[in-house]
Amino acid sequence: MAATDLHDLLKSLRVWSPETTELRPFEPESAPDDPLPLFTTWFAEAVAAGQVEPHTVSLATTDEEGRADVRIVMLHGADPAGWSFASHVTSRKGHQLSARPYAALVFYWPVLGRQVRLRGPVTTAPWEEGQTDLHARSTGALAAALTGSQSGPLSSPDELRQESEAAWERARADPAAPSPTWTLYRLRPEEAEFFQGDPDRRHVRLRYSVQPDETWHRQLLWP
């Protein structure tokens, strides 16, 4: 295999090529008073534009020592109660959220040159609600939730294969099988920022900040 120079490779890459990205105008003065309707509109537009896996989102948490961590999760929903995602309460992210129930999310939809950033406190939904959410998903999702101990040490790939095969068998036989540690989380944003890329680098950034009376304040930011 030919050697690859990382620096040269990075220099060769382009951001928001016109062949793959449509940078649409964004008029912040016409944005709604609440970030949820704007998020819903932007999400639907990302889906319509063919964005691959638009429901994937980066989740950032911190541990007890304040050390940051980040990973990709799936959005399970968004409503006035918050933006929801799920994991095992016994996983690394679960332990971090138990210790410090505050997190950040960022969606990136390069097909439209858009980002949405959210941060705020995180709460857990009732256990029954989390199980209902899990059982509304695919057999594979249930099998994954029933497999092993997420983030725990794994002795070998063969151990994973055996555990996974048993979990798939159980999920097919019992679609309502409970996953005791599976937890639905909700992040209720205190801040929400919408970023729209611009071909002349005059990017539009609109930040929503929640006020003490639970209303939202809107503020433009320098790009």
Side-chain angles (χ1 to χ4, degrees):
M1 180 179 294
T4 299
D5 184 277
L6 179 60
H7 183 68
D8 289 341
L9 182 59
L10 288 169
K11 286 170 59 179
S12 72
L13 298 175
R14 184 174 181 181
V15 176
W16 304 333
S17 168
E19 289 77 26
T20 58
T21 300
E22 178 189 357
L23 297 177
R24 299 179 181 179
F26 173 40
E27 304 296 338
E29 61 271 13
S30 64
D33 294 334
D34 186 306
L36 180 57
L38 183 56
F39 176 84
T40 302
T41 297
W42 276 26
F43 185 85
E45 290 177 352
V47 172
Q51 176 62 58
V52 176
E53 298 183 355
H55 57 317
T56 57
V57 56
S58 297
L59 166 68
T61 56
T62 53
D63 64 16
E64 292 180 344
E65 286 74 41
R67 296 173 298 186
D69 211 345
V70 66
R71 76 290 286 163
I72 304 295
V73 297
M74 298 290 180
L75 179 69
H76 284 217
D79 56 35
W83 275 247
S84 60
F85 57 92
S87 185
H88 292 279
V89 72
T90 51
S91 69
R92 175 180 287 187
K93 69 179 84 63
H95 285 301
Q96 291 170 351
L97 288 169
S98 294
R100 294 194 171 199
Y102 198 96
L105 299 171
V106 60
F107 296 85
Y108 179 47
W109 301 317
V111 71
L112 295 174
R114 288 175 172 173
Q115 287 186 67
V116 179
R117 299 168 59 199
L118 309 161
R119 65 176 182 172
V122 177
T123 59
T124 58
W127 185 83
E128 294 80 7
E129 188 174 341
Q131 296 299 299
T132 298
D133 176 79
L134 173 61
H135 296 138
R137 301 186 178 277
S138 66
T139 302
L142 177 58
L146 295 172
T147 300
S149 178
Q150 189 179 54
S151 301
L154 178 67
S155 64
S156 69
D158 188 57
E159 181 187 22
L160 172 60
R161 180 185 58 79
Q162 293 179 17
E163 289 279 344
S164 177
E165 288 176 353
W168 271 95
E169 183 176 345
R170 184 182 178 195
R172 292 189 182 104
D174 183 8
S179 177
T181 58
W182 189 254
T183 302
L184 185 66
Y185 295 94
R186 287 195 178 94
L187 184 151
R188 188 172 185 181
E190 295 177 336
E191 291 185 8
E193 182 188 317
F194 292 80
F195 172 103
Q196 172 62 68
D198 178 84
D200 296 318
R201 299 301 191 264
R202 292 190 286 269
H203 313 310
V204 180
R205 293 176 63 189
L206 177 65
R207 181 177 63 194
Y208 289 81
S209 301
V210 73
Q211 303 301 294
D213 63 357
E214 298 296 319
T215 61
W216 290 96
H217 171 71
R218 295 183 299 172
Q219 175 69 60
L220 286 174
L221 303 175
W222 282 91

